[in-house]
Amino acid sequence: MQSDIANAVFYAAVFLGIVYTSRILEKRWPIADVPYAEFRDDWLAVIVSLGLSSMLAPIAAISAGKIASYTGLGWIKLPTDGYWWYVSLAIIVVAFDLYKYTYHRLQHAIPFLWAMHSFHHSANGVTFITGGRHFWLERVLSDAFLPIMAILFRIPPDMVIAVGFIFFMPDACAHLNVRIPLGRYVTWINNPQWHRIHHSVLPEHRDKNFAACFPFLDILFGTAWIPKPDEYPATGLVPAERVDIINSVIWPIRHLRHYWHRESRNELG
């Protein structure tokens, strides 16, 4: 019990340290000025999302367990002896990035998924905290019905930790409101400028730069927009929307209604 408390305190301290450091960087070298109200909206959305998804996590775990009991786990056992550990790590990282890329594209293509995912894109000011700004049901459904990596691969615990660390830097930090000029290396790994294109309000940037870790997936599948050196577009939805506590809970209901209403008008001519 004491060790669990100590671990919780340690991880909380690390998280707060990362958030504090990100705020220092975002104030020192910002891509764009983000009003305090927008930053507050992000925090409220993250708190609601984490709270509700945590409450429903046991149900999601039961669902994932049922699926796993039917399909089995760890169909592919990769070698982990010696240097093979690093080879297997590379395979897992690429496979996980491909999974995240595919799911992300589906979130933009399927109206039901976009109704939830648009909550993330509603951030008018993208900051480090925006990385956690997802609709709560989105997390629950993906955990409950898509345990793809656990089904496909038998991944040892130390490799799980390594994969999490590898993805933290390009995936979570891609929302930093910090200018990090990478020049010709901008296509090597996901970064704030590359991912900002994905959140852009400009029509030419729509459905571009999906990759969580490696932009080569966007290049391979034709969804890449290579930003110019000073290309840092405005972000958010068109028209812009603000999020409050109620919207954080019921967001997709309104957006699905708008989508069906628009489709009905299109069918009528």
Side-chain angles (χ1 to χ4, degrees), residues 208-250:
K208 299 295 184 181
N209 296 10
F210 287 95
C213 193
F214 300 116
F216 83 82
L217 289 178
D218 283 303
I219 296 171
L220 179 64
F221 294 111
T223 55
W225 180 284
I226 301 176
K228 300 178 180 65
D230 292 323
E231 193 171 13
Y232 294 94
T235 57
L237 297 175
V238 179
E241 298 192 41
R242 290 288 302 276
V243 171
D244 55 22
I245 292 293
I246 296 177
N247 278 328
S248 295
V249 177
I250 66 168

Side-chain angles (χ1 to χ4, degrees), residues 43-83:
W43 267 110
L44 290 174
V46 170
I47 291 170
V48 171
S49 177
L50 292 178
L52 292 177
S53 60
S54 296
M55 289 173 58
L56 295 173
I59 298 175
I62 292 172
S63 174
K66 293 291 185 181
I67 294 173
S69 66
Y70 178 77
T71 61
L73 292 174
W75 292 356
I76 303 171
K77 183 180 179 181
L78 297 172
T80 56
D81 296 330
Y83 288 107

Side-chain angles (χ1 to χ4, degrees), residues 73-81 84 87-89 91-92 149-156 159:
L73 292 174
W75 292 356
I76 303 171
K77 183 180 179 181
L78 297 172
T80 56
D81 296 330
W84 280 109
V87 175
S88 296
L89 175 64
I91 293 172
I92 293 297
M149 292 299 292
I151 291 172
L152 290 179
F153 298 100
R154 190 177 304 177
I155 309 173
M159 193 173 292

